[in-house]
Amino acid sequence: VCLDTAHFFEAGYDVRTPKGWNAAIAEVDKLIGLDQILAFHLNDSKTGLGSRVDRHAGIGRGAMGKEPFRYLLNDRRFKNVPMYLETPKGEEKGKDLDTINLKVLRKLIKTKD
């Protein structure tokens, strides 16, 4: 399974809090098992929670915000699971949007003190 963060949110899983993230992942574990998650598509959502409308936004630039990505990137259960940007492409103020999104994601990763 490739778990798409925006699809997850648009399907009604409120992953914007630690409690919501843990509940959503627990449900995935119960239904299919975490070992079945082979990849993640990383994208924010232009539409609201449970909208069932697939519209991707840049990381932290949509209805989800940055926190779900912080939870995912720091969740040790997914340390070795590949993650791919599936955000809008192009440039903004002369900068590549993928570069901007990767920079945002890297800032969310906790480092050892």
Side-chain angles (χ1 to χ4, degrees):
V1 171
C2 177
L3 187 61
D4 183 294
T5 55
H7 296 182
F8 208 40
F9 182 75
E10 293 156 353
Y13 294 93
D14 193 349
V15 293
R16 297 175 291 187
T17 66
K19 182 178 178 181
W21 170 257
N22 289 323
I25 294 303
E27 186 169 340
V28 170
D29 190 22
K30 179 182 171 188
L31 293 173
I32 63 169
L34 297 183
D35 61 321
Q36 297 300 309
I37 300 174
L38 302 181
F40 284 93
H41 279 171
L42 304 180
N43 41 60
D44 206 326
S45 176
K46 286 185 181 180
T47 61
L49 176 65
S51 68
R52 300 193 185 276
V53 177
D54 180 24
R55 299 290 182 273
H56 296 173
I59 305 299
R61 295 180 171 206
M64 294 171 63
K66 294 179 186 174
E67 290 309 301
F69 302 99
R70 183 184 316 278
Y71 308 140
L72 173 57
L73 293 171
N74 293 292
D75 191 323
R76 297 189 57 71
R77 296 172 290 185
F78 305 115
K79 181 180 179 183
N80 295 314
V81 177
M83 299 180 191
Y84 306 91
L85 278 180
E86 196 185 29
T87 51
K89 305 301 178 203
E91 289 191 0
E92 179 180 280
K93 298 180 183 176
K95 293 185 180 180
D96 178 69
L97 289 176
D98 280 347
T99 302
I100 292 169
N101 284 304
L102 285 171
K103 188 174 183 178
V104 170
L105 289 168
R106 286 182 179 124
K107 286 182 178 181
L108 299 174
I109 298 171
K110 292 180 183 174
T111 57
K112 292 182 181 180
D113 295 327

